[in-house]
Amino acid sequence: MSPAILPEPAAVLSETDWGAVGHAYGTAEDTPAQLVALLADDQHTRSQALDHLHHVVHHQNTLYAATVPAALYVAAILLDPRTALPVDKRPHDFPGPLRAKLLGWLDSVAEAADDQAEATMRRFGFPPEDHPPFVRTREIRPLLFSAVSACFDDHDPHVREAVLAACVPLLDDPHLRHHRTVTAPLLRETLAVSALWQYQERAVEALSAWGEDTTGLEVRRNPFAVCDTPLNPSAAEWHLSSEDRADLPF
């Protein structure tokens, strides 16, 4: 298998017919400007662009036609020094700079096309091969892994954790599964002992699914997480986009 070569970010922007691909709120003519804004000097602008990825391009973990070129663009900019800049923090956000957030988004995209997602779709009578964004997302997994794995040695520990988490769904790809041998010890040594129980859980589940020994590993989940959640969170605390807020029934 030849090495996966990502397209240049500018090529993704110029060669994609954004008017012909859709996201959660229609055609994606607004997406190129938001992708460029991910590398803006202004922190709030970067944060709004990140919101566009989460709440429009990959709304509620759904894969749209626009998700695929957006994922290629995000993968192509991961090593840009500007992704080491911070973004606005909201309650329950994972720590780390923009790069960690982009890795988390790619993780979510890849998870929406992993083996478990396929099994779920089939169980509910939706053949995944009939959903082009699902098929296309699976096709680009080697490209995404090439970009994600280049961040393994990042100086920021939050980025290194996000890298490992993103690798888990990508390594469902038959062409990438041999990388599990190298990744498994890293999951055990880094993700399974993370301060975040979500990463601990991700590591234990992945190692178990890969047939690895998980003896001695435990997930130290916060037993008071529900108690600590506000009873009446505002739309801002829910991290809703402006489009989502417009759809609220109150």
Side-chain angles (χ1 to χ4, degrees):
M1 182 179 178
S2 58
I5 301 176
L6 274 168
E8 292 293 325
V12 176
L13 294 177
S14 63
E15 295 174 10
T16 301
D17 185 354
W18 296 99
V21 296
H23 53 43
Y25 297 99
T27 55
E29 292 98 332
D30 55 342
T31 296
Q34 293 296 331
L35 293 176
V36 172
L38 287 168
L39 300 178
D41 292 334
D42 177 68
Q43 178 171 318
H44 185 61
T45 300
R46 295 193 300 273
S47 302
Q48 287 185 314
L50 186 64
D51 285 348
H52 183 82
L53 289 180
H54 282 290
H55 302 299
V56 179
V57 178
H58 185 42
H59 180 61
Q60 295 183 347
N61 299 327
T62 301
L63 296 174
Y64 299 92
T67 311
V68 173
L72 289 173
Y73 181 90
V74 168
I77 66 169
L78 279 178
L79 293 181
D80 189 296
R82 290 169 289 183
T83 63
L85 295 172
V87 289
D88 296 345
K89 300 295 183 185
R90 297 175 175 84
H92 310 301
D93 273 0
F94 279 22
L98 175 60
R99 184 173 298 147
K101 307 298 184 182
L102 295 177
L103 285 162
W105 184 77
L106 290 174
D107 178 5
S108 180
V109 170
E111 189 174 19
D114 67 6
D115 289 352
Q116 183 175 340
E118 178 185 13
T120 300
M121 291 177 73
R122 293 194 188 281
R123 186 167 65 251
F124 287 99
F126 299 102
E129 60 270 15
D130 293 343
H131 185 46
F134 181 95
V135 175
R136 183 65 181 128
T137 299
R138 287 199 147 199
E139 290 174 349
I140 66 169
R141 286 185 294 186
L143 292 169
L144 300 183
F145 179 74
S146 175
V148 167
S149 60
C151 300
F152 267 135
D153 297 325
D154 195 277
H155 73 280
D156 190 312
H158 301 307
V159 172
R160 294 197 299 272
E161 290 185 336
V163 168
L164 289 169
C167 283
V168 171
L170 291 171
L171 295 184
D172 274 358
D173 186 297
H175 296 105
L176 301 174
R177 283 179 187 165
H178 63 282
H179 291 291
R180 290 178 176 179
T181 303
V182 175
T183 306
L186 298 175
L187 290 180
R188 179 181 297 277
E189 296 163 8
T190 302
L191 219 58
V193 297
S194 170
L196 298 173
W197 68 263
Q198 296 94 332
Y199 280 156
Q200 297 170 21
E201 184 175 73
R202 191 67 173 279
V204 173
E205 289 181 349
L207 290 169
S208 178
W210 296 354
E212 299 285 334
D213 182 13
T214 58
T215 302
L217 299 181
E218 62 176 334
V219 179
R220 300 180 299 279
R221 185 168 185 169
N222 176 12
F224 302 105
V226 175
C227 300
D228 293 341
T229 302
L231 293 178
N232 295 297
S234 67
E237 289 171 323
W238 284 349
H239 197 181
L240 298 177
S241 67
S242 57
E243 291 87 353
D244 290 333
R245 293 192 187 102
D247 290 339
L248 290 175
F250 51 85

